[in-house]
Amino acid sequence: MDIVLWIAQILLGVAFIGAGVNHGFRVERIKTQAAMSWVAAVPRPLMTFIGVCEILGGLGVLLPALTGIWTWLIPVAAFGLALIMALAAVFHIRRGETQAVVSNLVLLALAAFVAYGRWMIVPL
């Protein structure tokens, strides 16, 4: 189970650090993509905040595990990422963007799995 959790943490970390950089600091570039049209509906300061939170969450599921320092932060960061994805799913449901909702729910499930797994099953 530890290996499965490590794989999930790596996937979450990479996905959220990448998404956070795009959402927080490359807004003008991603606005032009068809699948990212929702970005225009979100105020720029909120996009920056979301991006920074995603980066911190991605680092929070990786760095404590890699360093062995503050490992209690892993389930907390994973829970925070799950919360971000739950809120994102609500946002996309209201806009009728089903493709985005599916990816939000997949990432939510992965983050919830890591949060539960690192809190209850195989804590570090």
Side-chain angles (χ1 to χ4, degrees):
M1 182 57 92
D2 190 42
I3 293 171
V4 174
L5 284 166
W6 268 104
I7 292 169
Q9 283 174 246
I10 292 168
L11 289 173
L12 272 179
V14 169
F16 277 99
I17 291 168
V21 168
N22 281 336
H23 293 157
F25 306 106
R26 296 183 182 161
V27 175
E28 294 306 318
R29 186 181 304 168
I30 64 173
K31 271 186 188 179
T32 61
Q33 299 172 1
M36 301 296 283
S37 61
W38 61 269
V39 172
V42 180
R44 179 67 186 258
L46 180 58
M47 282 301 297
T48 302
F49 176 73
I50 291 168
V52 169
C53 289
E54 289 173 337
I55 292 168
L56 292 174
L59 292 173
V61 296
L62 291 177
L63 290 181
L66 294 172
T67 63
I69 301 170
W70 291 358
T71 55
W72 58 268
L73 190 60
I74 299 166
V76 173
F79 176 77
L81 293 175
L83 181 61
I84 290 170
M85 287 298 97
L87 294 170
V90 170
F91 173 80
H92 290 295
I93 287 169
R94 287 183 174 178
R95 292 178 50 86
E97 299 165 341
T98 55
Q99 181 66 25
V101 173
V102 171
S103 60
N104 292 149
L105 294 178
V106 168
L107 288 170
L108 185 149
L110 193 60
F113 170 71
V114 169
Y116 182 75
R118 286 300 182 204
W119 188 264
M120 300 298 287
I121 300 173
V122 187
L124 288 178

